[in-house]
C-alpha cells in the first residue's frame, strides 16, 4: 500500500488539483504544498460553498490532517493570514495542524511592485503574471538575498537583510522603473507584527516529514500550477518561477526521491491556459466562449477568463514522461456533455512536418498546427453518475481513447464541481 503520493497538474494549471487533493485527503495524515506562491489558487466546493486556497493546502478542511507549506513555497504573510482568518470565521482552522517551513522564502512588498511594473514595461511582450510578486521573490532566492520565514523569528537578522535589500531595490525602483520606493521602518514594523501570528507555525518541516514517513504515516504532496508552466520544462518564458513537476516535491520539501511511492497527474477533459504564451489547441469565438462559460473557466486567483481549447494528447504525453505518472485523473468531463462532437489533438504539424513530441521552444510551438481526431459526443448528463460502467458509451470511449493516447490508466473521473461528484475507478493510495 502506498504511503507517499505526489499530485501534479498535467497541463497549464487549473486542472482541478484542489478538488482531487480534497478527495484523497481523508486517507492521509499529512498534505504538503511544495512550490509556488499566492499566484496559485485551489478551489474546493463543499456543501455548495466555494473555498479558495492560495497558500494553505486544501487538506486543511479535514480534521486531524496536518498541512505543511514546504521549503519551495514563497509565502506572502499577509495573504496567509487572510486565509487563516477566513478559515477561523468558518470554524475549521486548527493552529496545530498548519506547519510552515523555516526555509520558505517571503514575498516582500517590493516584490509585488517589481512584478507589476516590469509587466507594464514589457507591454506586448508581457508574460501574463498575476502581479503577486512571486517571480521576483524566487529571483531573490536564486540571487541569495531572499528573506526566509526563519528570519521573521530573528529581529536582528530580518532588519539587517531588509536594510541591505532596500538599498538596491529602492534604487532600481526609483531610477529604472520610475516608481516610489519603500520606507524600511514601515515594512519592518508591519512584518514584525505579522511575525507574531506566523511564528508558532514555523518549523523544520523537512525533519517533520522524514519522521512522518519513517513512522508510516500517509503523505500527499500537492503541486500548484501545472507541468507546462514549470520553469525548466514548460513553455519558457511563459512559465511560472518554480518547478511544478513531480521532481519539485523533493527539492521543495527536503525529502529524498526514494521516499516517493507514486505520482499521478491531473488533467481536464479539454485544455485551458491563463496568461500569455502559445496554446496549439486554443479555440476562438463562440466555440471557446461556450466552453468557458459551461466550465466556469475564470482564474481562482485573478478572475481572468481562461483561454480554452481541445484536449492536447501531445502535451499530455510530454507531461507523463516528465513526471513519470503512474496514473491520471480526468476532471470536468461533464463540461463536454452537450457537445455533438469532440476534437482530440493527437499530433502537431510544424512547417508541414508531423511531430509527436511537445516542443518547449515557444517559437516552434506557436507555429504548430494540431492534427485532430474527431470523436462523437454523448449528449447526456454525466453529473449524477458514480460508476464508470454507467457512463454513456461515447463518454467511456473518450476516456479510454485518452488512456491509449497518454499511455497511462485513468484512475478517477470528475463529473461535477463538488467533492462527491466523482467516479473512482481505483484509489491511488490503495493501488
Amino acid at each position: 500500500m502506498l504511503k507517499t503520493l505526489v499530485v501534479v497538474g498535467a497541463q497549464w494549471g487549473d486542472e482541478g488539483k484542489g478538488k482531487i487533493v480534497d478527495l484523497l485527503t481523508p486517507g492521509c495524515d499529512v498534505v504538503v504544498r511544495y512550490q509556488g506562491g499566492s499566484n496559485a489558487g485551489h478551489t474546493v466546493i463543499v456543501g455548495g460553498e466555494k473555498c479558495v486556497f492560495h497558500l494553505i493546502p486544501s487538506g486543511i478542511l479535514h480534521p486531524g490532517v496536518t498541512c505543511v507549506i514546504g521549503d519551495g513555497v514563497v509565502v506572502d504573510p499577509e495573504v496567509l493570514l487572510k486565509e487563516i482568518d477566513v478559515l477561523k470565521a468558518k470554524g475549521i482552522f486548527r493552529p496545530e495542524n498548519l506547519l510552515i517551513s523555516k526555509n520558505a522564502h517571503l514575498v516582500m512588498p517590493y516584490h509585488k511592485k517589481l512584478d507589476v511594473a516590469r509587466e507594464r514595461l514589457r507591454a506586448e511582450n508581457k508574460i501574463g503574471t498575476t502581479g503577486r510578486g512571486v517571480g521576483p521573490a524566487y529571483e531573490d532566492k536564486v540571487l541569495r538575498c531572499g528573506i526566509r520565514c526563519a528570519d521573521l523569528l530573528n529581529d536582528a537578522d530580518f532588519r539587517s537583510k531588509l536594510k541591505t535589500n532596500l538599498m538596491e531595490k529602492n534604487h532600481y525602483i526609483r531610477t529604472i522603473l520610475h516608481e516610489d520606493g519603500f520606507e524600511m521602518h514601515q515594512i519592518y514594523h508591519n512584518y514584525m507584527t505579522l511575525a507574531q501570528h506566523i511564528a508558532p507555525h514555523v518549523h523544520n518541516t523537512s525533519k517533520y516529514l522524514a519522521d512522518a514517513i519513517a513512522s508510516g504515516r500517509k503523505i500527499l504532496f500537492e503541486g500548484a500550477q501545472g507541468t507546462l508552466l514549470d520553469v525548466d520544462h514548460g513553455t519558457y518564458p511563459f512559465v511560472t518561477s518554480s518547478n511544478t513537476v513531480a521532481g519539485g516535491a523533493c527539492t521543495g520539501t527536503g525529502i529524498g526521491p526514494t521516499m516517493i511511492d507514486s505520482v499521478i497527474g491531473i488533467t481536464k477533459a479539454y485544455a485551458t491556459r491563463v496568461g500569455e504564451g502559445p496554446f496549439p489547441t486554443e479555440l476562438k469565438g463562440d466555440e471557446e466562449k461556450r466552453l468557458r462559460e459551461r466550465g466556469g473557466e475564470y482564474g481562482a486567483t485573478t478572475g481572468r477568463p481562461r483561454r480554452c481549447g481541445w484536449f492536447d494528447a501531445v502535451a499530455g504525453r510530454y507531461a507523463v514522461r516528465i513526471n513519470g505518472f503512474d496514473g491520471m485523473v480526468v476532471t470536468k468531463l461533464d463540461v463536454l456533455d452537450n457537445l455533438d462532437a469532440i476534437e482530440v489533438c493527437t499530433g502537431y504539424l510544424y512547417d508541414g512536418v508531423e511531430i509527436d513530441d511537445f516542443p518547449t521552444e515557444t517559437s516552434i510551438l506557436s507555429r504548430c498546427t494540431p492534427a485532430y481526431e474527431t470523436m462523437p459526443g454523448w449528449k447526456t448528463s454525466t453529473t449524477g453518475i458514480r460508476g464508470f460502467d454507467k457512463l454513456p458509451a461515447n463518454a467511456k470511449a473518450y476516456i479510454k481513447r485518452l488512456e491509449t493516447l497518454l499511455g497511462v490508466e485513468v484512475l478517477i473521473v470528475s463529473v461535477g464541481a463538488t467533492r462527491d461528484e466523482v467516479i473512482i475507478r481505483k484509489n491511488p493510495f490503495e493501488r
Side-chain angles (χ1 to χ4, degrees):
M1 185 176 291
L2 300 181
K3 293 296 183 181
T4 54
L5 176 68
V6 182
V7 173
V8 180
Q11 298 170 306
W12 279 283
D14 309 309
E15 301 95 347
K17 296 180 293 297
K19 173 180 174 174
I20 302 307
V21 169
D22 177 64
L23 175 72
L24 298 175
T25 294
C28 304
D29 300 296
V30 183
V31 178
V32 190
R33 167 83 174 273
Y34 62 81
Q35 49 76 219
S38 58
N39 57 337
H42 285 172
T43 303
V44 180
I45 297 178
V46 183
E49 186 175 3
K50 181 185 290 187
C51 299
V52 180
F53 301 96
H54 299 289
L55 286 169
I56 298 177
S58 46
I60 199 71
L61 294 172
H62 297 265
V65 175
T66 300
C67 290
V68 176
I69 297 175
D71 309 48
V73 179
V74 289
V75 178
D76 184 330
E78 292 184 330
V79 172
L80 177 63
L81 290 180
K82 285 178 182 177
E83 286 192 28
I84 290 174
D85 288 342
V86 169
L87 290 169
K88 284 181 177 178
K90 296 177 184 292
I92 55 176
F93 182 70
R94 299 164 298 281
E96 68 277 10
N97 289 347
L98 177 63
L99 304 180
I100 306 168
S101 170
K102 64 179 182 178
N103 293 334
H105 282 245
L106 295 170
V107 174
M108 304 297 292
Y110 46 80
H111 292 141
K112 299 177 188 178
K113 178 162 282 191
L114 288 168
D115 204 357
V116 173
R118 286 171 176 171
E119 278 287 87
R120 187 189 69 246
L121 290 177
R122 290 186 184 108
E124 68 274 6
N125 295 317
K126 65 181 180 179
I127 295 172
T129 75
T130 60
R132 301 298 179 95
V134 170
Y138 277 114
E139 179 183 339
D140 277 3
K141 177 178 180 176
V142 175
L143 285 172
R144 294 164 292 184
C145 65
I147 301 177
R148 304 195 293 184
C149 286
D151 296 318
L152 283 176
L153 311 184
N154 188 311
D155 180 285
D157 282 354
F158 182 84
R159 181 192 291 271
S160 174
K161 292 181 178 183
L162 177 62
K163 181 179 180 180
T164 300
N165 282 359
L166 281 180
M167 289 175 61
E168 177 188 339
K169 304 300 182 187
N170 277 338
H171 177 73
Y172 180 80
I173 289 169
R174 289 166 178 158
T175 60
I176 305 299
L177 301 178
H178 305 294
E179 299 269 358
D180 292 334
F182 292 91
E183 293 295 331
M184 176 180 162
H185 295 296
Q186 183 176 353
I187 296 177
Y188 170 77
H189 288 296
N190 183 34
Y191 271 63
M192 285 297 99
T193 300
L194 296 170
Q196 297 175 23
H197 301 283
I198 292 175
H201 303 287
V202 177
H203 294 271
N204 181 344
T205 56
S206 174
K207 185 177 187 304
Y208 170 84
L209 292 172
D211 291 343
I213 292 171
S215 65
R217 303 179 76 192
K218 288 187 178 181
I219 302 178
L220 179 61
F221 298 85
E222 66 165 28
Q225 289 97 22
T227 297
L228 304 180
L229 293 179
D230 184 276
V231 68
D232 289 315
H233 306 290
T235 52
Y236 190 89
F238 302 102
V239 293
T240 193
S241 302
S242 58
N243 287 118
T244 63
V245 297
C250 295
T251 57
T253 61
I255 66 163
T258 56
M259 295 181 178
I260 300 296
D261 291 331
S262 186
V263 182
I264 63 169
I266 317 295
T267 180
K268 284 176 181 170
Y270 49 100
T272 64
R273 179 167 196 170
V274 174
E276 308 300 319
F279 183 7
T281 65
E282 183 174 12
L283 294 168
K284 299 293 183 182
D286 290 341
E287 202 170 22
E288 180 189 35
K289 183 178 180 181
R290 283 193 295 269
L291 199 58
R292 179 185 298 122
E293 293 304 318
R294 183 166 173 79
E297 298 297 352
Y298 296 89
T301 299
T302 64
R304 290 184 295 181
R306 295 175 185 142
R307 300 156 64 190
C308 299
W310 296 121
F311 186 86
D312 188 336
V314 181
R317 286 192 294 270
Y318 175 74
V320 171
R321 175 167 64 84
I322 292 296
N323 292 285
F325 290 144
D326 298 303
M328 296 288 284
V329 176
V330 175
T331 63
K332 293 198 170 185
L333 181 70
D334 56 298
V335 175
L336 306 181
D337 284 351
N338 65 341
L339 299 179
D340 294 311
I342 300 165
E343 305 284 357
V344 180
C345 171
T346 58
Y348 295 155
L349 288 176
Y350 173 65
D351 288 347
V353 178
E354 187 172 342
I355 59 175
D356 61 3
D357 193 24
F358 185 79
T360 55
E361 304 94 330
T362 55
S363 60
I364 296 177
L365 188 61
S366 61
R367 292 165 56 191
C368 285
T369 303
Y372 285 121
E373 176 182 310
T374 302
M375 300 194 67
W378 41 94
K379 299 292 287 184
T380 187
S381 176
T382 59
T383 300
I385 296 173
R386 297 295 178 268
F388 185 77
D389 290 340
K390 295 180 180 179
L391 283 172
N394 288 347
K396 286 189 289 186
Y398 183 71
I399 294 297
K400 289 177 180 179
R401 182 58 177 149
L402 297 189
E403 287 182 318
T404 300
L405 290 168
L406 298 176
V408 291
E409 186 178 15
V410 172
L411 308 176
I412 299 172
V413 180
S414 174
V415 289
T418 62
R419 60 164 47 154
D420 64 325
E421 292 176 327
V422 292
I423 298 168
I424 303 177
R425 301 175 75 190
K426 292 182 181 179
N427 186 317
F429 273 112
E430 297 173 358
R431 296 180 67 210

